[in-house]
Amino acid sequence: MLIRRETPADAAAIAAIHRAAFAPQYAGDPAVAEPPEPALVETLRTDESWMPTLSLVALEYDTVVGHICLTRAGIGPFPVLALGPLGVDPDHQKAGVGSALVHAALGAADALDESVVGLVGDPDYYARFGFVPGPRLGVVPDEAEWAPYFQVRPLTAYDSAVTGEFRYPAPFYDL
């Protein structure tokens, strides 16, 4: 497996991966014709929060099998990062692709002297990467229903003064 930055040629494969990876979450919901994650990534690419250096793909040979992106978010007045979406082709799930992408993204963010990464996701999955419930570090999501799933990961440049309400980039609120 190789992990590298996303290129424009990867866009269709990335959309297909997110569509396939997230479809089971919406199965049986007649109000959702297609998972919103492919459109979210497409919208993020044109948003001011987009950070092309932090949009990564996992390749098996020459085939894109996973994608992750980090975008500019905020905690109060502090610039931080938001992780997501993370998608892995269903045929490659539970094989370490998602873990490799998360490790690569966090390593890249750390190398760029970013301080904190926030996300809404499965606490059992993300704890292995050092994510902790946001309130433990004085950070809360701006959407109350996200609270049970909201987590943050302090990086090397973390400053304990970075506290307050976490805000995703605008496209996340259109899901």
Side-chain angles (χ1 to χ4, degrees), residues 79-143:
V80 298
L81 295 174
L83 185 150
L86 164 63
V88 176
D89 176 75
D91 292 338
H92 292 84
Q93 291 177 0
K94 308 234 185 274
V97 175
S99 291
L101 283 165
V102 173
H103 283 299
L106 292 175
D110 199 47
L112 292 172
D113 287 328
E114 295 292 339
S115 64
V116 174
V117 177
L119 64 82
V120 173
D122 179 356
D124 292 333
Y125 180 77
Y126 287 101
R128 71 184 81 172
F129 306 107
F131 282 88
V132 297
R136 193 178 297 173
L137 296 181
V139 182
V140 296
D142 63 347
E143 299 283 336

Coordinates of all heavy atoms in Angstrom, one line a residue, residues 79-143:
P79 N -7.2 28.5 14.9 CA -7.3 27.6 13.8 C -6.9 26.2 14.1 O -5.8 26.0 14.7 CB -6.4 28.2 12.7 CG -5.4 29.0 13.6 CD -6.1 29.4 14.8
V80 N -7.7 25.2 13.8 CA -7.4 23.8 14.1 C -7.8 23.0 12.8 O -8.2 23.6 11.8 CB -8.1 23.3 15.3 CG1 -7.6 24.0 16.6 CG2 -9.6 23.3 15.2
L81 N -7.8 21.7 12.9 CA -8.1 20.9 11.8 C -9.3 20.0 12.1 O -9.5 19.6 13.3 CB -7.0 20.0 11.4 CG -5.7 20.7 10.8 CD1 -4.6 19.7 10.6 CD2 -6.0 21.5 9.6
A82 N -10.1 19.7 11.1 CA -11.2 18.7 11.2 C -10.8 17.5 10.3 O -10.4 17.7 9.2 CB -12.5 19.3 10.7
L83 N -11.0 16.3 10.9 CA -10.7 15.1 10.1 C -12.1 14.6 9.6 O -13.0 14.5 10.3 CB -10.1 14.0 11.1 CG -9.7 12.7 10.4 CD1 -8.5 12.1 11.2 CD2 -10.8 11.7 10.3
G84 N -12.0 14.3 8.3 CA -13.2 13.6 7.7 C -13.6 14.3 6.4 O -13.3 15.4 6.2
P85 N -14.2 13.4 5.6 CA -14.5 12.0 5.9 C -13.3 11.1 5.6 O -12.4 11.5 4.9 CB -15.6 11.7 4.9 CG -15.5 12.7 3.8 CD -14.9 13.9 4.4
L86 N -13.4 10.0 6.2 CA -12.4 8.9 6.0 C -13.2 7.7 5.4 O -14.2 7.3 6.0 CB -11.8 8.4 7.4 CG -11.1 7.0 7.4 CD1 -9.9 7.0 6.5 CD2 -10.7 6.7 8.8
G87 N -12.8 7.3 4.2 CA -13.5 6.2 3.6 C -12.5 5.2 3.0 O -11.5 5.5 2.5
V88 N -12.9 3.9 3.1 CA -12.1 2.8 2.6 C -13.1 1.9 1.8 O -14.2 1.6 2.2 CB -11.5 2.0 3.7 CG1 -10.7 0.8 3.2 CG2 -10.5 2.9 4.5
D89 N -12.6 1.5 0.6 CA -13.4 0.6 -0.2 C -13.8 -0.6 0.6 O -12.9 -1.2 1.4 CB -12.5 0.2 -1.4 CG -13.2 -0.8 -2.2 OD1 -14.1 -0.5 -3.0 OD2 -12.8 -2.0 -2.1
P90 N -15.0 -1.0 0.6 CA -15.5 -2.1 1.4 C -14.7 -3.4 1.3 O -14.5 -4.1 2.3 CB -16.9 -2.3 1.0 CG -17.4 -1.0 0.5 CD -16.2 -0.4 -0.1
D91 N -14.1 -3.7 0.1 CA -13.3 -4.9 -0.1 C -11.9 -4.8 0.6 O -11.2 -5.8 0.7 CB -13.1 -5.1 -1.6 CG -14.4 -5.6 -2.3 OD1 -15.3 -6.1 -1.6 OD2 -14.4 -5.4 -3.5
H92 N -11.6 -3.6 1.1 CA -10.3 -3.4 1.7 C -10.4 -2.9 3.2 O -9.4 -2.6 3.8 CB -9.5 -2.3 1.0 CG -9.1 -2.8 -0.4 ND1 -9.9 -2.7 -1.5 CD2 -7.9 -3.4 -0.8 CE1 -9.3 -3.2 -2.5 NE2 -8.1 -3.6 -2.1
Q93 N -11.7 -3.0 3.7 CA -11.9 -2.6 5.1 C -11.4 -3.7 6.0 O -11.3 -4.9 5.6 CB -13.3 -2.3 5.4 CG -13.8 -1.0 4.7 CD -15.3 -0.7 4.9 OE1 -16.0 -1.5 5.5 NE2 -15.7 0.4 4.3
K94 N -11.0 -3.3 7.2 CA -10.5 -4.2 8.2 C -9.1 -4.9 7.8 O -8.8 -6.0 8.3 CB -11.5 -5.3 8.5 CG -12.9 -4.8 8.9 CD -13.4 -5.3 10.2 CE -14.8 -4.9 10.5 NZ -14.9 -3.6 11.1
A95 N -8.4 -4.1 7.0 CA -7.1 -4.6 6.5 C -6.0 -3.6 6.8 O -4.9 -3.7 6.3 CB -7.1 -4.9 5.0
G96 N -6.3 -2.5 7.6 CA -5.3 -1.6 8.0 C -5.2 -0.3 7.1 O -4.4 0.6 7.4
V97 N -6.1 -0.2 6.1 CA -6.0 0.9 5.2 C -6.5 2.2 6.0 O -5.8 3.2 5.9 CB -6.9 0.7 4.0 CG1 -7.0 2.0 3.1 CG2 -6.4 -0.5 3.2
G98 N -7.6 2.1 6.7 CA -8.1 3.3 7.4 C -7.1 3.7 8.5 O -6.8 4.9 8.6
S99 N -6.5 2.8 9.2 CA -5.5 3.1 10.2 C -4.3 3.8 9.6 O -3.8 4.8 10.1 CB -5.0 1.9 11.0 OG -6.1 1.4 11.8
A100 N -3.8 3.3 8.5 CA -2.7 3.9 7.8 C -3.0 5.3 7.3 O -2.1 6.2 7.5 CB -2.2 3.0 6.6
L101 N -4.2 5.5 6.8 CA -4.5 6.9 6.4 C -4.6 7.8 7.6 O -4.1 9.0 7.5 CB -5.9 6.8 5.7 CG -5.8 6.3 4.2 CD1 -7.2 6.0 3.7 CD2 -5.1 7.4 3.3
V102 N -5.2 7.4 8.7 CA -5.3 8.3 9.9 C -3.9 8.6 10.4 O -3.5 9.8 10.7 CB -6.1 7.6 11.0 CG1 -6.1 8.5 12.3 CG2 -7.6 7.5 10.5
H103 N -3.0 7.6 10.5 CA -1.6 7.8 10.9 C -0.9 8.8 10.0 O -0.2 9.7 10.5 CB -0.8 6.5 11.1 CG -1.2 5.7 12.3 ND1 -1.0 6.2 13.6 CD2 -1.7 4.5 12.4 CE1 -1.4 5.2 14.4 NE2 -1.8 4.2 13.7
A104 N -1.1 8.6 8.7 CA -0.4 9.5 7.7 C -0.9 10.9 7.8 O -0.1 11.9 7.8 CB -0.6 8.9 6.3
A105 N -2.2 11.1 8.0 CA -2.8 12.4 8.1 C -2.4 13.1 9.3 O -2.0 14.3 9.3 CB -4.3 12.3 8.0
L106 N -2.4 12.4 10.5 CA -2.0 13.0 11.7 C -0.5 13.4 11.7 O -0.1 14.4 12.2 CB -2.3 12.1 12.9 CG -3.7 11.9 13.2 CD1 -3.9 10.8 14.3 CD2 -4.4 13.2 13.6
G107 N 0.3 12.5 11.1 CA 1.8 12.8 10.9 C 2.0 14.0 10.1 O 2.9 14.8 10.4
A108 N 1.3 14.1 9.0 CA 1.4 15.3 8.1 C 1.0 16.6 8.8 O 1.7 17.6 8.7 CB 0.6 15.1 6.8
A109 N -0.1 16.5 9.6 CA -0.6 17.7 10.3 C 0.4 18.1 11.4 O 0.7 19.3 11.6 CB -2.0 17.4 10.9
D110 N 1.0 17.1 12.0 CA 1.9 17.4 13.1 C 3.2 18.0 12.4 O 3.7 19.0 13.0 CB 2.3 16.1 13.8 CG 3.0 16.3 15.1 OD1 2.4 17.2 15.9 OD2 4.0 15.7 15.4
A111 N 3.6 17.6 11.3 CA 4.8 18.1 10.6 C 4.5 19.6 10.2 O 5.5 20.3 10.0 CB 5.2 17.3 9.4
L112 N 3.3 19.9 10.0 CA 2.9 21.3 9.6 C 2.7 22.2 10.8 O 2.2 23.3 10.7 CB 1.6 21.3 8.7 CG 1.8 20.6 7.3 CD1 0.5 20.5 6.6 CD2 2.8 21.5 6.5
D113 N 3.0 21.7 12.0 CA 2.8 22.4 13.2 C 1.4 22.8 13.6 O 1.1 23.8 14.2 CB 3.7 23.7 13.3 CG 5.2 23.4 13.4 OD1 5.5 22.4 14.1 OD2 6.0 24.1 12.9
E114 N 0.5 21.9 13.1 CA -0.9 22.1 13.5 C -1.0 21.7 15.0 O -0.2 20.9 15.5 CB -1.9 21.3 12.7 CG -1.9 21.7 11.2 CD -2.5 23.1 11.0 OE1 -3.3 23.5 11.8 OE2 -2.2 23.7 9.9
S115 N -2.0 22.2 15.7 CA -2.1 21.9 17.1 C -3.1 20.9 17.6 O -2.9 20.1 18.5 CB -2.4 23.2 17.9 OG -3.7 23.7 17.5
V116 N -4.3 20.9 16.9 CA -5.4 20.0 17.3 C -6.1 19.5 16.1 O -6.4 20.3 15.1 CB -6.4 20.7 18.3 CG1 -7.6 19.9 18.6 CG2 -5.7 21.2 19.5
V117 N -6.6 18.3 16.1 CA -7.5 17.7 15.1 C -8.8 17.3 15.8 O -8.7 16.6 16.9 CB -6.9 16.5 14.4 CG1 -7.9 15.9 13.4 CG2 -5.6 16.9 13.7
G118 N -9.9 17.7 15.3 CA -11.2 17.3 15.9 C -12.0 16.5 14.9 O -11.8 16.6 13.7
L119 N -12.9 15.7 15.4 CA -13.8 14.9 14.6 C -15.0 14.4 15.3 O -15.0 14.4 16.5 CB -13.0 13.7 14.0 CG -12.5 12.6 15.0 CD1 -13.6 11.6 15.4 CD2 -11.4 11.9 14.4
V120 N -16.0 14.0 14.5 CA -17.2 13.3 15.1 C -17.1 11.9 14.5 O -17.1 11.8 13.3 CB -18.5 14.0 14.6 CG1 -19.7 13.2 15.1 CG2 -18.6 15.4 15.2
G121 N -16.9 11.0 15.3 CA -16.7 9.6 14.9 C -16.8 8.6 16.0 O -17.0 9.0 17.2
D122 N -16.6 7.3 15.7 CA -16.7 6.3 16.6 C -15.6 6.4 17.7 O -14.4 6.2 17.3 CB -16.6 4.9 15.9 CG -16.7 3.7 16.8 OD1 -16.7 3.9 18.0 OD2 -16.7 2.6 16.2
P123 N -15.9 6.6 18.9 CA -14.8 6.7 20.0 C -14.0 5.5 20.1 O -12.8 5.6 20.3 CB -15.6 7.0 21.3 CG -16.9 7.6 20.8 CD -17.2 6.9 19.5
D124 N -14.6 4.3 19.9 CA -13.8 3.1 20.0 C -12.7 3.0 18.9 O -11.6 2.5 19.2 CB -14.7 1.8 20.0 CG -15.6 1.7 21.2 OD1 -15.2 2.2 22.3 OD2 -16.7 1.2 21.1
Y125 N -13.1 3.4 17.7 CA -12.1 3.4 16.6 C -11.0 4.4 16.8 O -9.8 4.1 16.6 CB -12.9 3.6 15.3 CG -11.9 3.5 14.1 CD1 -11.5 2.3 13.6 CD2 -11.5 4.7 13.5 CE1 -10.6 2.3 12.5 CE2 -10.7 4.6 12.4 CZ -10.2 3.4 11.9 OH -9.4 3.4 10.8
Y126 N -11.4 5.7 17.1 CA -10.4 6.7 17.0 C -9.6 6.8 18.3 O -8.5 7.5 18.3 CB -11.1 8.1 16.7 CG -11.5 8.2 15.3 CD1 -12.8 7.9 14.9 CD2 -10.6 8.4 14.3 CE1 -13.2 8.0 13.6 CE2 -11.0 8.5 13.0 CZ -12.3 8.3 12.6 OH -12.6 8.3 11.3
A127 N -9.9 6.2 19.4 CA -9.1 6.2 20.6 C -7.7 5.7 20.4 O -6.7 6.1 20.9 CB -9.8 5.5 21.7
R128 N -7.6 4.7 19.5 CA -6.3 4.1 19.2 C -5.3 5.0 18.6 O -4.1 4.7 18.5 CB -6.5 2.8 18.3 CG -6.9 3.2 16.9 CD -7.1 2.0 16.0 NE -8.5 1.5 16.3 CZ -9.1 0.5 15.6 NH1 -8.5 -0.1 14.7 NH2 -10.3 0.2 16.0
F129 N -5.8 6.2 18.1 CA -4.9 7.2 17.4 C -4.7 8.3 18.4 O -4.1 9.4 18.0 CB -5.6 7.7 16.1 CG -5.9 6.6 15.2 CD1 -7.2 6.2 15.0 CD2 -4.9 5.9 14.5 CE1 -7.6 5.2 14.1 CE2 -5.3 4.8 13.7 CZ -6.6 4.5 13.4
G130 N -5.1 8.2 19.6 CA -4.8 9.3 20.6 C -6.0 10.3 20.7 O -5.8 11.3 21.4
F131 N -7.1 10.1 20.1 CA -8.2 11.0 20.2 C -8.9 10.8 21.6 O -9.0 9.6 22.0 CB -9.3 10.7 19.1 CG -8.9 11.3 17.8 CD1 -8.1 10.6 16.9 CD2 -9.2 12.6 17.4 CE1 -7.7 11.1 15.7 CE2 -8.9 13.2 16.2 CZ -8.1 12.4 15.3
V132 N -9.3 11.8 22.2 CA -10.0 11.8 23.5 C -11.3 12.6 23.4 O -11.4 13.5 22.5 CB -9.1 12.4 24.6 CG1 -7.8 11.5 24.8 CG2 -8.7 13.8 24.4
P133 N -12.2 12.4 24.2 CA -13.4 13.2 24.2 C -13.1 14.7 24.4 O -12.2 15.0 25.2 CB -14.2 12.7 25.5 CG -13.7 11.3 25.7 CD -12.3 11.3 25.3
G134 N -13.6 15.5 23.5 CA -13.3 16.9 23.5 C -13.4 17.6 24.8 O -12.4 18.4 25.2
P135 N -14.4 17.4 25.6 CA -14.5 18.1 26.9 C -13.3 17.8 27.8 O -13.0 18.7 28.7 CB -15.8 17.5 27.5 CG -16.6 17.2 26.3 CD -15.6 16.6 25.3
R136 N -12.6 16.7 27.7 CA -11.5 16.4 28.5 C -10.4 17.5 28.3 O -9.6 17.8 29.2 CB -10.9 15.1 28.1 CG -9.9 14.6 29.1 CD -9.4 13.2 28.8 NE -10.4 12.2 28.9 CZ -10.3 10.9 28.5 NH1 -9.1 10.5 28.0 NH2 -11.3 10.1 28.6
L137 N -10.4 18.1 27.1 CA -9.4 19.2 26.8 C -10.1 20.6 26.8 O -9.5 21.5 26.3 CB -8.6 18.9 25.6 CG -7.7 17.7 25.6 CD1 -7.0 17.5 24.2 CD2 -6.7 17.7 26.7
G138 N -11.3 20.6 27.2 CA -12.0 21.9 27.2 C -12.6 22.3 25.8 O -12.8 23.5 25.6
V139 N -12.8 21.3 25.0 CA -13.4 21.6 23.7 C -14.7 20.9 23.5 O -14.8 19.7 23.8 CB -12.4 21.1 22.6 CG1 -12.9 21.5 21.2 CG2 -11.0 21.7 22.8
V140 N -15.7 21.6 23.0 CA -17.0 21.1 22.9 C -17.5 21.3 21.4 O -17.1 22.3 20.8 CB -18.1 21.7 23.8 CG1 -17.7 21.3 25.3 CG2 -18.2 23.2 23.7
P141 N -18.3 20.4 20.9 CA -18.8 20.7 19.5 C -19.9 21.7 19.5 O -20.6 22.0 20.6 CB -19.4 19.3 19.2 CG -19.9 18.7 20.5 CD -18.8 19.2 21.5
D142 N -20.1 22.4 18.4 CA -21.1 23.4 18.3 C -22.5 22.8 18.0 O -23.5 23.6 18.0 CB -20.7 24.5 17.3 CG -20.6 24.0 15.9 OD1 -20.6 22.8 15.7 OD2 -20.6 24.8 15.0
E143 N -22.6 21.6 17.8 CA -23.9 20.9 17.7 C -24.0 19.9 18.8 O -23.2 18.9 18.9 CB -23.9 20.1 16.3 CG -23.8 21.0 15.1 CD -25.0 21.8 14.8 OE1 -26.1 21.3 15.2 OE2 -24.9 22.9 14.1

